């Protein structure tokens, strides 16, 4: 059947506005094209808003985010902060506690006299030699008053003293009463100098300390060792009001961190596998586990297959982190809004179009729960727009040809 020319013209006139409308719709929908996250420009603008708010010039919803360009100074400040959280820097290497008597300790005290014994025994003769006998004094627990009681001596202060000091005190008080007294004080139960170990160990317990000077790994070994792999285990040491965490793998590899524990320390062994999340224009978006010993940004990019050549913006490599204020510049830490747990939302940016960026990526350390995001290149969104308009144009042409 032949379609009259007049009808074809009417159909073409009807399709022409539709084509224009479709094109306008494509233009207005540029912002709604599929994407894997914010653009580099959007993230940069968020950082500018935060900078303005910090100086009191403006206030925007995005002002809670700070964008920090990676540099040697930024990485050095982060490294110094991490160093300050090491066990050896926060608590010191420690010294052996020594055998000092404390409340709750149990003492075994023995007293002997030379013959002829007067107070604590009677002399006897064995193979022609006089031998002194000692008195059986029951074991005593050091009470709240810090004393123990000895017959013919009375109460003797022992709290905070060594067994040798207590021996000399008792012997001195017995002079003039006993005949050449000899005293031996032995600590049979140590309750005052202990470390509490909890968590992922063979057996949670209180470990008594000796003059040898037990270290962190000694305490863990005496409790049955860690129940999880070393690379996925974190140690938390609490001493007074100071609390710090370190991967067990770091303590094993760095003997300086294997510090001498002190009485009252609480050591918690935790199963804490570290991981970061990779999103955006990377070869594989996923949650990536890593070892407690640490991971650099360069290694993190390598583990997700690197950037997608046809899609990634080399100027838009970002690490989203809830940072500790002490790791930031003082001016930023003072003005930044903090989360409920005292953290500051920070975005670290790396411009990989610069040659030195590869060295910075090797020095910057990825932390647990970081989000690694690579934005799309501007040409990607342009290509999506062109493809959409082209598809719409070809659809209109196809309809017109069919009508003709």
């Amino acid at each position: 059947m032949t379609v009259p020319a007049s009808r074809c013209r009417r159909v073409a006139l009807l399709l022409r506005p539709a084509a224009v409308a479709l094109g306008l719709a494509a233009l207005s929908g540029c912002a709604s094209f599929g994407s894997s996250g914010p653009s580099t420009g959007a993230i940069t603008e968020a950082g500018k808003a935060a900078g303005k708010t910090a100086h009191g010039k403006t206030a925007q919803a995005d002002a809670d985010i700070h964008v920090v360009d990676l540099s040697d100074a930024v990485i050095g400040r982060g490294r110094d902060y991490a160093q300050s959280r090491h066990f050896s820097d926060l608590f010191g290497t420690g010294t052996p506690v020594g055998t000092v008597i404390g409340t709750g300790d149990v003492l075994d005290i023995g007293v002997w006299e030379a013959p002829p014994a007067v107070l604590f025994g009677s002399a006897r003769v064995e193979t022609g030699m006089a031998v002194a006998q000692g008195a059986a004094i029951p074991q005593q627990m050091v009470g709240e008053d810090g004393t123990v009681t000895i017959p013919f001596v009375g109460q003797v202060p022992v709290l905070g003293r060594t067994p040798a000091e207590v021996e000399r005190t008792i012997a001195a008080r017995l002079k003039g009463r006993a005949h050449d007294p000899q005293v031996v004080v032995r600590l049979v139960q140590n309750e005052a100098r202990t470390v509490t170990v909890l968590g992922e160990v063979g057996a949670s317990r209180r470990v008594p300390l000796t003059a040898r000077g037990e270290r962190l790994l000694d305490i863990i070994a005496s409790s049955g060792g860690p129940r999880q792999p070393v690379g996925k285990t974190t140690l938390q040491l609490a001493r007074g009001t100071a609390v710090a965490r370190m991967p067990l793998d770091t303590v094993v590899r760095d003997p300086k961190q294997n510090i001498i524990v002190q009485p009252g320390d609480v050591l918690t062994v935790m199963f804490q596998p570290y991981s970061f999340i990779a999103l955006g224009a990377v070869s594989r978006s996923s949650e990536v586990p890593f070892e407690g010993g640490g991971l650099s940004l360069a290694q993190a990019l390598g583990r997700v297959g690197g950037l997608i050549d046809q899609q990634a913006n080399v100027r838009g490599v970002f690490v989203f982190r809830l940072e500790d204020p002490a790791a930031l510049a003082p001016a930023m830490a003072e003005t930044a809004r903090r989360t409920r747990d005292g953290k500051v939302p920070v975005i670290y940016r790396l411009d990989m179009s610069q040659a030195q960026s590869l060295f910075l990526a090797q020095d910057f350390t990825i932390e647990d729960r970081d989000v690694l995001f690579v934005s799309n290149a501007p040409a990607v969104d342009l290509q999506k727009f062109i493809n959409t308009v082209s598809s719409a144009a070809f659809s209109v042409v196809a309809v017109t040809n069919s009508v003709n």
Side-chain angles (χ1 to χ4, degrees):
M1 181 182 67
T2 302
V3 179
S6 60
R7 181 178 297 180
C8 290
R9 285 193 296 269
R10 288 196 300 270
V11 171
L13 290 173
L14 291 173
L15 290 175
R16 188 176 301 167
V20 174
L22 186 58
L24 292 174
L27 286 170
S28 64
C30 287
S32 62
F33 287 138
S35 179
S36 57
S39 64
T40 301
I43 296 176
T44 303
E45 288 300 321
K48 290 180 179 178
K52 292 178 181 179
T53 302
H55 294 84
K57 295 181 180 180
T58 185
Q60 299 183 20
D62 292 332
D64 297 335
I65 303 174
H66 289 270
V67 179
V68 180
D69 291 317
L70 285 183
S71 63
D72 290 333
V74 171
I75 294 175
R77 187 162 49 243
R79 186 182 295 114
D80 292 341
Y81 169 72
Q83 181 73 29
S84 69
R85 303 303 298 173
H86 286 179
F87 288 157
S88 59
D89 289 84
L90 187 62
F91 300 110
T93 55
T95 56
V97 297
T99 307
V100 179
I101 300 171
T103 303
D105 288 347
V106 177
L107 302 180
D108 186 12
I109 303 174
V111 181
W112 286 264
E113 293 181 82
V118 177
L119 294 178
F120 294 96
S122 57
R124 68 178 187 274
V125 178
E126 294 182 1
T127 62
M129 181 180 295
V131 179
Q133 291 183 335
I137 300 177
Q139 293 182 354
Q140 299 187 58
M141 176 180 291
V142 180
E144 293 292 337
D145 59 354
T147 64
V148 293
T149 302
I150 308 296
F152 304 106
V153 175
Q155 289 187 326
V156 178
V158 298
L159 187 64
R161 307 176 68 188
T162 65
E165 292 173 340
V166 176
E167 290 173 359
R168 291 192 292 268
T169 299
I170 296 175
R173 291 191 180 186
L174 286 174
K175 283 185 177 180
R177 297 183 179 184
H179 184 250
D180 192 15
Q182 305 293 317
V183 181
V184 175
V185 177
R186 186 169 62 94
L187 181 65
V188 295
Q189 187 172 336
N190 174 15
E191 295 293 338
R193 296 166 310 286
T194 61
V195 170
T196 303
V197 58
L198 307 168
E200 295 294 326
V201 290
S204 298
R205 57 190 292 256
R206 295 174 63 191
V207 181
L209 301 180
T210 67
R212 171 177 172 268
E214 285 76 8
R215 298 178 179 270
L216 289 172
L217 298 183
D218 297 328
I219 300 300
I220 295 174
S222 66
S223 301
R227 293 190 295 185
Q228 304 294 339
V230 172
K232 296 182 178 181
T233 300
T234 299
L235 302 184
Q236 175 178 288
L237 181 61
R239 179 177 297 172
T241 58
V243 180
R245 293 183 181 183
M246 285 193 69
L248 176 58
D249 182 64
T250 301
V251 177
V252 172
R253 290 185 294 104
D254 184 4
K256 187 178 179 181
Q257 307 309 321
N258 187 26
I259 63 175
I260 298 175
V261 294
Q262 300 297 309
D265 284 355
V266 178
L267 178 62
T268 306
V269 182
M270 300 178 293
F271 173 61
Q272 187 177 11
Y274 292 89
S275 67
F276 70 92
I277 298 175
L279 300 172
V282 293
S283 297
R284 186 175 67 257
S285 296
S286 62
E287 181 179 3
V288 183
F290 64 95
E291 300 76 20
L295 187 75
S296 69
L297 177 54
Q299 291 174 313
L301 289 170
R303 293 198 179 186
V304 296
L307 279 60
I308 301 177
D309 294 341
Q310 301 83 0
Q311 182 180 347
N313 184 353
V314 293
R315 298 176 182 269
V317 178
F318 302 95
V319 176
F320 290 69
R321 175 181 299 171
L322 292 175
E323 187 66 273
D324 194 294
L328 302 173
M332 182 183 298
E334 290 175 1
T335 57
R337 187 190 68 83
R338 305 184 184 185
T339 61
R340 291 183 178 180
D341 56 353
K343 303 294 184 180
V344 176
V346 177
I347 304 174
Y348 293 101
R349 176 174 55 191
L350 179 66
D351 183 358
M352 294 195 67
S353 65
Q354 305 296 324
Q356 65 268 24
S357 65
L358 295 179
F359 294 104
L360 296 175
Q362 293 181 56
D363 291 336
F364 184 75
T365 302
I366 293 293
E367 295 185 3
D368 186 33
R369 299 183 181 181
D370 278 354
V371 176
L372 172 60
F373 174 74
V374 180
S375 62
N376 289 339
V380 174
D381 292 333
L382 177 61
Q383 185 62 46
K384 290 179 181 179
F385 169 71
I386 293 174
N387 292 339
T388 301
V389 173
S390 299
S391 299
F394 283 127
S395 298
V396 172
V397 171
V399 173
T400 305
N401 292 338
S402 299
V403 172
N404 291 334

